[in-house]
Amino acid sequence: MAVAVRGGRAGSGGGSVLRSFFSYRIFVSAMFTLLFFVTISVLFSSHPPHNKVVETTGNAYVQRTFLAWQSDPLKTRLELINNQASNHIALVNAYASYARKLKLDISKQLKMFDDLATNFSDLQLKPIYRTALFESDGQVDEDVLRQFEKEVKDKIKIARLMIVESKESYDNQLKIQKLKDTIFAVNELLLKAKKNGAFASLIAAKSTPKSLHCLAMRLMEERIAHPEKYEDEEPKPEFEDPSLYHYAIFSDNVIAISVVVNSVVKNAEEPWKHVFHIVTDRMNFAATKVWFKMRPLQGGAHIEINVVDNFKFLNPSYAPVLRQLESANLQKFYFETRAENATKDVNNMKFRNPKFLLMLNHLRFYLPELYPKLHKILFLDDDVVVQKDLTALWKIDMDGKVNAAVDTCFGSFHRFSEYLNFSHPLIKEKFNPRACAWAFGMNLFDLDAWRQEKSTEQYHYWQNLNEDRSLWKLGTLPAGLITFYSTTKSLDKSWHVVGLGINPSISMEEIDKAAVIHFSGDMKPWLDIAMNHYKHLWTKYVDNEMEFVQMCNFGM
């Protein structure tokens, strides 16, 4: 009996508290709504003249707003206040809607608890139990007691289930713990999504697009079908003429090479004085030769196409990169096919790309040996577009420096500390972590100064020390920063604008002023993931009249 009475009181007391809480929430919501309506009424009644009816619909409203903005700044302010008030009314109404839902839920719970408390009270008032158990002075009937006990336990079971189900609404600690669990679960999902996204982005950026593979196959098919058209030619004397303007482009991407060359030629004032030295790998050598045989350069420009395997001095006994590729540890790092190698560290996944150790990428450190009769050469990456005549670069006084490049640092970004491991004592001793980094992509090299400074030997020294990747991760930029640390001349930033493959906020004004724009980053212009507002700067130099480009559906 005591249980029934306490249950009934608890039920009615809980209902009273819930009703009071809900009434307070509804009262606050109603007051906010009323306050904003009064604000709007005051604003609209105080500014417009009393003798003028203002249209507020259709074209008349747009016209009135525009004219008001021109004639009276206060009316513009009025519109702003009106919009703010409207937004807050919508917000208050949203809370009111939630409060109504809350009221409905609480009302259901209140009715359930009230009914349960009533059931407990009614149970002891049943005539059979009242007569046999509570009002009898004789011995308690065991069968009736057993039946009463069964019904009470059934009610208690239902009450416990309801309390467990409703506890979350009233137990703040439980709410806090559930919120923490939810935040943790969402954070885990976010990290997993980031990891998967980075991995997918890496695959999209580094894989060979179907269209590019198709182009290479079509060019090879043409080479096999008509071998007589593509016989090797004798080297031209222009290839070694130091009085001409020489360019070095090292790439395995046929369409990218053609865009770089076309952009230089089309913007050159005297294209017949420009010589292009193309080096590619064995797989794309024939395709590259077929392309430029089918689409010869305009304006009398000259082009030499070679394959990296033809430079016999580049062997493991001389080039540290080739020797390191034979290392078992390095092969395990790059080529072991285990999932954790690809996804364990999202930030460093790109450094596990074996392309960083390909000789084609490190060929830039052997320019004096590749072209022994030249004095200067302009190195261009395959993801650049030239927008102006570049011959003025050859007239720049290099001040005895080896490398002329554009600095990329700003504030604390793109400093040496980002590329080198300054926890290593040798790096800490030799270099300044605040030194400004520069960009590979458009670099004028004084080959005579290079030979005098013995820069290739410097590169070999540091590359040998970094076999365990303790000085820097990988790639050619850290090696270049070290090799040309004290022998780099800074160029005006208008010569080379970088980041069109990673930074969507570069202004078109800055791009238009640039002599060379560089699609550095993962979103290369020949990929589907390229940024559309920059892509046209590259596609306008694609030779769309070339039949294989049309057949391979580059989607230009």
Side-chain angles (χ1 to χ4, degrees):
M1 184 174 180
V3 173
V5 172
R6 281 197 293 270
R9 288 177 181 172
S12 62
S16 176
V17 171
L18 292 173
R19 290 192 188 96
S20 299
F21 174 75
F22 170 73
S23 300
Y24 176 76
R25 292 288 300 274
I26 294 299
F27 174 77
V28 171
S29 301
M31 288 300 294
F32 270 107
T33 306
L34 181 61
L35 175 61
F36 281 108
F37 275 121
V38 170
T39 303
I40 292 173
S41 300
V42 171
L43 289 173
F44 278 99
S45 61
S46 60
H47 287 278
H50 295 291
N51 58 351
K52 183 177 180 181
V53 178
V54 181
E55 297 179 274
T56 58
T57 58
N59 295 330
Y61 174 76
V62 176
Q63 185 177 7
R64 181 194 66 79
T65 303
F66 179 71
L67 293 176
W69 176 79
Q70 284 188 320
S71 60
D72 188 358
L74 292 179
K75 292 185 178 180
T76 305
R77 184 179 174 187
L78 172 63
E79 294 291 337
L80 178 61
I81 296 172
N82 178 32
N83 290 335
Q84 290 177 343
S86 299
N87 292 337
H88 282 79
I89 288 173
L91 181 62
V92 170
N93 287 335
Y95 273 98
S97 175
Y98 176 74
R100 284 191 290 270
K101 181 180 181 297
L102 186 63
K103 174 186 177 183
L104 182 60
D105 293 340
I106 292 176
S107 297
K108 289 180 179 179
Q109 290 183 6
L110 180 61
K111 187 176 183 307
M112 289 168 57
F113 284 121
D114 282 343
D115 290 345
L116 186 59
T118 301
N119 289 340
F120 271 112
S121 299
D122 291 345
L123 184 61
Q124 65 184 3
L125 297 177
K126 282 187 177 182
I128 185 175
Y129 299 141
R130 186 177 59 185
T131 303
L133 300 177
F134 301 108
E135 296 181 356
S136 174
D137 295 331
Q139 189 175 3
V140 175
D141 188 334
E142 186 177 355
D143 293 335
V144 176
L145 179 60
R146 190 180 295 112
Q147 179 65 28
F148 178 73
E149 182 183 19
K150 181 179 181 301
E151 290 195 39
V152 169
K153 287 184 176 179
D154 289 342
K155 301 292 184 186
I156 290 174
K157 184 177 180 181
I158 295 173
R160 286 177 176 173
L161 290 174
M162 290 174 59
I163 290 170
V164 169
E165 186 177 346
S166 304
K167 186 177 181 181
E168 186 180 340
S169 302
Y170 306 101
D171 191 335
N172 289 334
Q173 284 299 115
L174 189 60
K175 285 184 177 181
I176 293 171
Q177 186 58 48
K178 185 173 181 181
L179 182 60
K180 287 182 178 180
D181 293 342
T182 302
I183 292 173
F184 179 79
V186 170
N187 189 53
E188 288 293 306
L189 289 174
L190 177 62
L191 291 176
K192 184 177 180 181
K194 282 184 176 180
K195 192 176 292 186
N196 291 338
F199 189 61
S201 176
L202 185 68
I203 292 174
K206 303 304 179 184
S207 300
T208 301
K210 184 185 294 186
S211 53
L212 189 58
H213 179 72
C214 167
L215 178 63
M217 293 300 101
R218 293 287 184 181
L219 291 168
M220 281 298 300
E221 183 181 26
E222 170 67 17
R223 172 69 175 81
I224 294 170
H226 307 285
E228 69 282 355
K229 294 183 181 180
Y230 307 105
E231 295 179 356
D232 292 337
E233 299 177 353
E234 291 295 322
K236 296 181 180 180
E238 289 83 0
F239 295 164
E240 298 180 341
D241 187 347
S243 66
L244 301 179
Y245 305 109
H246 293 263
Y247 301 81
I249 304 170
F250 308 141
S251 172
D252 57 0
N253 187 328
V254 179
I255 194 76
I257 295 172
S258 72
V259 167
V260 176
V261 173
N262 286 346
S263 65
V264 174
V265 171
K266 289 184 178 180
N267 290 288
E269 295 177 0
E270 299 174 313
W272 59 89
K273 292 185 177 181
H274 295 258
V275 182
F276 299 92
H277 302 272
I278 312 298
V279 181
T280 186
D281 58 12
R282 185 183 303 173
M283 185 178 297
N284 293 279
F285 176 57
T288 306
K289 294 193 72 171
V290 171
W291 174 283
F292 287 102
K293 190 72 173 181
M294 294 181 67
R295 311 296 295 177
L297 300 185
Q298 300 175 0
H302 312 281
I303 187 166
E304 177 191 27
I305 302 172
N306 217 325
V307 61
V308 67
D309 295 345
N310 285 348
F311 301 105
K312 301 302 181 184
F313 70 91
L314 294 174
N315 53 66
S317 63
Y318 178 67
V321 168
L322 293 177
R323 182 172 63 257
Q324 289 166 10
L325 275 175
E326 298 176 351
S327 164
N329 289 334
L330 214 60
Q331 289 181 8
K332 181 179 179 181
F333 179 79
Y334 280 110
F335 302 109
E336 191 174 57
T337 55
R338 286 173 23 189
E340 58 267 28
N341 279 356
T343 59
K344 182 169 58 177
D345 189 348
V346 174
N347 295 323
N348 294 327
M349 276 198 301
K350 62 181 181 178
F351 296 116
R352 304 188 81 95
N353 191 332
K355 280 190 174 183
F356 280 118
L357 279 182
L358 289 182
M359 196 62 236
L360 199 60
N361 284 331
H362 287 256
L363 210 57
R364 65 194 70 186
F365 294 105
Y366 299 94
L367 287 169
E369 293 157 283
L370 297 176
Y371 311 108
K373 295 186 178 180
L374 301 182
H375 302 311
K376 286 185 177 182
I377 194 166
L378 184 65
F379 170 79
L380 294 176
D381 264 338
D382 64 357
D383 55 352
V384 305
V385 168
V386 176
Q387 301 186 124
K388 297 180 181 179
D389 183 83
L390 298 180
T391 54
L393 276 171
W394 276 262
K395 300 174 185 177
I396 291 176
D397 185 1
M398 296 280 286
D399 299 324
K401 303 293 186 181
V402 176
N403 170 38
V406 171
D407 292 338
T408 57
C409 61
F410 60 95
S412 61
F413 298 98
H414 297 289
R415 303 284 178 176
F416 270 46
S417 57
E418 287 189 30
Y419 303 96
L420 305 177
N421 178 21
F422 277 87
S423 64
H424 194 286
L426 190 59
I427 294 294
K428 187 176 182 179
E429 176 189 352
K430 297 289 185 180
F431 304 101
N432 179 6
R434 293 285 300 163
C436 188
W438 43 265
F440 266 132
M442 190 216 73
N443 307 81
L444 183 67
F445 289 107
D446 185 330
L447 301 183
D448 292 333
W450 185 314
R451 298 179 185 103
Q452 185 175 351
E453 293 288 341
K454 299 183 178 180
S455 296
T456 300
E457 286 82 348
Q458 285 289 319
Y459 160 71
H460 283 175
Y461 170 77
W462 290 104
Q463 190 68 41
N464 280 323
L465 290 177
N466 195 50
E467 183 170 357
D468 59 355
R469 305 179 303 281
S470 62
L471 305 184
W472 66 86
K473 292 291 184 179
L474 282 170
T476 54
L477 180 55
L481 295 177
I482 285 182
T483 301
F484 306 113
Y485 177 56
S486 59
T487 57
T488 295
K489 179 181 178 63
S490 179
L491 297 176
D492 186 86
K493 291 186 181 297
S494 63
W495 279 110
H496 183 196
V497 171
V498 301
L500 276 73
I502 193 173
N503 183 4
S505 60
I506 303 174
S507 69
M508 289 307 300
E509 181 181 1
E510 184 179 2
I511 290 173
D512 291 339
K513 291 180 180 178
V516 175
I517 55 175
H518 191 174
F519 290 83
S520 55
D522 286 339
M523 291 177 277
K524 301 300 184 187
W526 54 83
L527 299 175
D528 291 336
I529 61 174
M531 286 186 268
N532 290 330
H533 56 296
Y534 297 147
K535 191 171 183 177
H536 69 280
L537 301 169
W538 185 84
T539 55
K540 68 180 180 180
Y541 291 105
V542 174
D543 189 351
N544 289 304
E545 295 180 1
M546 209 282 188
E547 58 180 300
F548 296 151
V549 171
Q550 298 173 7
M551 292 171 64
C552 291
N553 189 25
F554 264 84
M556 303 302 180

